[in-house]
Amino acid sequence: MQRQKSKKLFAKAKEIIPGGVNSPVRAFKNVAGEPIFFQDGSGPILQDVDGNRYIDYVGSWGPMIFGHSYKPVIKAIQKQANIAIGFGAPTELETELAELVIERLPSIEKLRLVNSGTEATMSAIRLARGHTNRDLIIKFAGCYHGHSDGLLSDAGSGMLTLGIPNSPGIPTQVAESTLTLPFNDLTAVQQAFDLYPQDIAAVIVEPIAGNMGCIPPKEGFLQGLRELTSTNKAVLIFDKVMTGFRVSWGGAQTLYDVKPDITTLGKIIGGGLPVGAFGGSSEIMDNIAPVGEIYQAGTLSGNPLSTSAGIAMLKNLNSASYVTLTELTGYLCSELQQIADNHEINITINRACGMFSIFFSDGPIEQYSDVMKSDTALFNSFFHSMLNQGIYLAPSPFESGFISLSHNKEILKETLRAAKTAFAGLVKLQKAT
Ligand SMILES: *Cc1c(COP(=O)(O)O)cnc(C)c1O
């Protein structure tokens, strides 16, 4: 596969953009490659600047749940762009999007829109601290909550991909206010509350972890977090920037029957445009300015283009969407497992509705330390073989794959044919070493 134009564009980008990218994981560093520059997307298919065709399993990191260039979203954006792009004043669209979210997520009474997931979680933390008058935050290793100072310790996604445990540039006092514990480990959370019964403002968690690969919660984990936070008067934050409207109609919170105090959202609710949101009970949310004193603001927050796209997206999703996604993902993953087994390659696949991850190690994969057992050399080889056969997976062994409603059986079968070749290549690699 020739990628001369991508190569050229990357070289040029590197001269004036750090690393040539505007978000680190895009750089292909962890797979020892160079990023592909795309120019076209339609349904499950991407085309790069060199005219190569790929089946996409990144989906813009989650938002493209209908596939690329989904007509209702495109039309909504076009229609709105012809009317007005923004005022920095309220529009009805904001209320309409908030209503659509609140109808579906029973724990939210009031919602505020922001421009990214990072902003949503950062604001949720400030709200939790202001509401409880406490400082400490519990997060889980390998969970990623955006790149704000307090949430970067042992974070997933690009941090994990690039092997950066803690970012320079974060004041020690800020880093010290975050306690990082193992995902799926309630005992550790209990111990933290025993140690600091009066000081923990919030527990923030991805209810289904997606940024160290896909790791569903163990039975009782989320319920346990709910009980411990309630008992200790701390705020429970579900960061559903990735999983919101990705795993079920009512979100992970109805799937597991646990209601958080604050929910953060992003990705899908912007239909692919920049967006974020955080919401909760009126009691908590009314601490925010202009009602309360906790300050939070945004010039382009709730802008008409993002809200129009998000409204079109949510209106077209229904409970059947998630049945379809679960079926498609189940089919792909069980066939992949079968092919790997046939080639005696050790893999463990985790999945949740339209998300999945292939770990090149024995299971179960339940937390960050399990993820680190993955054979990254095998992943690399698998990744590049798939890529050269036109299958675009996330360029990191620590990210989730996303299936869209446009990935039909034919597309999945084409992917599986490529996987056969890729796994056969791994057998040779294993024999050679
Ligand atoms: C993507 C993501 C974020 C950050 O969102 P941005 O829009 O990239 O700032 C936060 N939390 C989770 C769970 C995410 O997946």
Side-chain angles (χ1 to χ4, degrees):
M1 211 178 250
Q2 287 286 325
R3 295 197 198 99
Q4 291 312 318
K5 281 188 185 164
S6 271
K7 258 190 177 326
K8 261 194 184 152
L9 289 175
F10 186 50
K12 189 171 171 195
K14 276 198 288 194
E15 286 172 18
I16 50 173
I17 296 172
V21 291
N22 282 310
S23 200
V25 73
R26 296 177 195 171
F28 272 50
K29 249 184 145 170
N30 203 345
V31 289
E34 291 201 353
I36 295 169
F37 282 61
F38 291 107
Q39 63 176 11
D40 200 305
S42 174
I45 304 297
L46 297 176
Q47 206 175 0
D48 70 12
V49 288
D50 289 283
N52 300 309
R53 168 192 178 274
Y54 305 84
I55 298 176
D56 182 24
Y57 287 96
V58 176
S60 193
W61 302 97
M64 300 302 170
I65 194 166
F66 285 104
H68 295 272
S69 302
Y70 179 57
K71 285 265 159 50
V73 170
I74 301 298
K75 274 191 192 149
I77 295 171
Q78 283 171 337
K79 183 174 162 226
Q80 187 56 43
N82 281 325
I83 304 172
I85 288 177
F87 310 99
T91 64
E92 193 179 351
L93 295 164
E94 295 158 76
T95 313
E96 202 181 329
L97 181 57
E99 263 180 336
L100 284 169
V101 169
I102 289 167
E103 273 168 21
R104 287 158 178 75
L105 301 181
S107 65
I108 302 181
E109 290 173 356
K110 286 190 178 165
L111 184 80
R112 177 154 287 177
L113 295 172
V114 294
N115 299 296
S116 68
T118 294
E119 251 189 271
T121 53
M122 181 188 81
S123 308
I125 293 290
R126 183 180 305 143
L127 175 57
R129 284 180 166 147
H131 178 68
T132 55
N133 211 6
R134 298 172 174 183
D135 288 342
L136 294 185
I137 299 294
I138 291 179
K139 81 173 281 286
F140 297 95
C143 282
Y144 179 67
H145 305 292
H147 64 89
S148 72
D149 282 358
L151 293 172
L152 267 188
S153 70
D154 288 324
S157 192
M159 295 277 285
L160 191 46
T161 293
L162 301 177
I164 302 173
N166 288 298
S167 170
I170 296 175
T172 319
Q173 306 92 295
V174 176
E176 281 172 359
S177 308
T178 306
L179 312 172
T180 307
L181 307 177
F183 188 70
N184 270 329
D185 186 346
L186 268 185
T187 312
V189 182
Q190 174 72 65
Q191 284 166 350
F193 274 111
D194 289 346
L195 215 53
Y196 304 104
Q198 304 293 328
D199 302 311
I200 295 168
V203 174
I204 184 166
V205 65
E206 293 180 69
I208 296 171
N211 285 290
M212 50 178 156
C214 173
I215 305 188
K218 282 211 291 208
E219 191 162 348
F221 178 60
L222 299 177
Q223 286 85 346
L225 291 183
R226 177 67 283 175
E227 280 161 29
L228 284 171
T229 44
S230 295
T231 311
N232 292 283
K233 299 192 168 48
V235 172
L236 179 60
I237 304 172
F238 277 5
D239 179 1
K240 292 156 50 76
V241 171
M242 181 182 282
T243 55
F245 302 104
R246 157 69 46 191
V247 292
S248 96
W249 187 225
Q253 59 192 63
T254 39
L255 212 59
Y256 299 104
D257 195 25
V258 180
K259 283 188 182 165
D261 300 303
I262 302 176
T263 300
T264 55
L265 295 161
K267 298 185 174 126
I268 285 180
I269 67 157
L273 294 189
V275 88
F278 62 106
S281 66
S282 299
E283 188 209 337
I284 290 188
M285 292 303 288
D286 282 341
N287 285 304
I288 296 174
V291 189
E293 292 186 337
I294 301 171
Y295 198 70
Q296 190 282 323
T299 303
L300 298 179
S301 292
N303 76 82
L305 289 184
S306 296
T307 45
S308 298
I311 290 165
M313 191 74 123
L314 292 191
K315 277 192 172 164
N316 283 282
L317 284 168
N318 56 42
S319 47
S321 312
Y322 301 95
V323 177
T324 307
L325 281 177
T326 303
E327 278 171 12
L328 292 171
T329 312
Y331 171 75
L332 181 75
C333 292
S334 56
E335 294 290 315
L336 278 173
Q337 184 70 58
Q338 190 62 54
I339 298 168
D341 290 349
N342 290 346
H343 288 88
E344 292 178 13
I345 302 283
N346 239 356
I347 63 165
T348 304
I349 305 183
N350 283 1
R351 66 185 171 95
C353 193
M355 288 164 67
F356 69 97
S357 288
I358 308 168
F359 300 98
F360 283 83
S361 67
D362 288 326
I365 306 290
E366 296 174 340
Q367 54 175 260
Y368 180 81
S369 54
D370 300 330
V371 170
M372 297 321 283
K373 291 185 300 197
S374 260
D375 186 327
T376 49
L378 280 186
F379 173 85
N380 260 12
S381 170
F382 180 75
F383 170 84
H384 283 293
S385 171
M386 293 296 270
L387 190 66
N388 288 328
Q389 297 178 80
I391 311 294
Y392 187 68
L393 300 170
S396 160
F398 312 120
E399 296 281 358
S400 296
F402 297 99
I403 288 181
S404 81
L405 289 158
S406 65
H407 285 68
N408 58 29
K409 270 267 169 79
E410 276 318 301
I411 289 290
L412 299 183
K413 280 187 177 153
E414 194 181 329
T415 307
L416 292 166
R417 281 194 293 275
K420 266 186 197 154
T421 307
F423 280 120
L426 295 189
V427 175
K428 282 188 202 140
L429 186 81
Q430 273 193 334
K431 278 193 184 136
T433 53

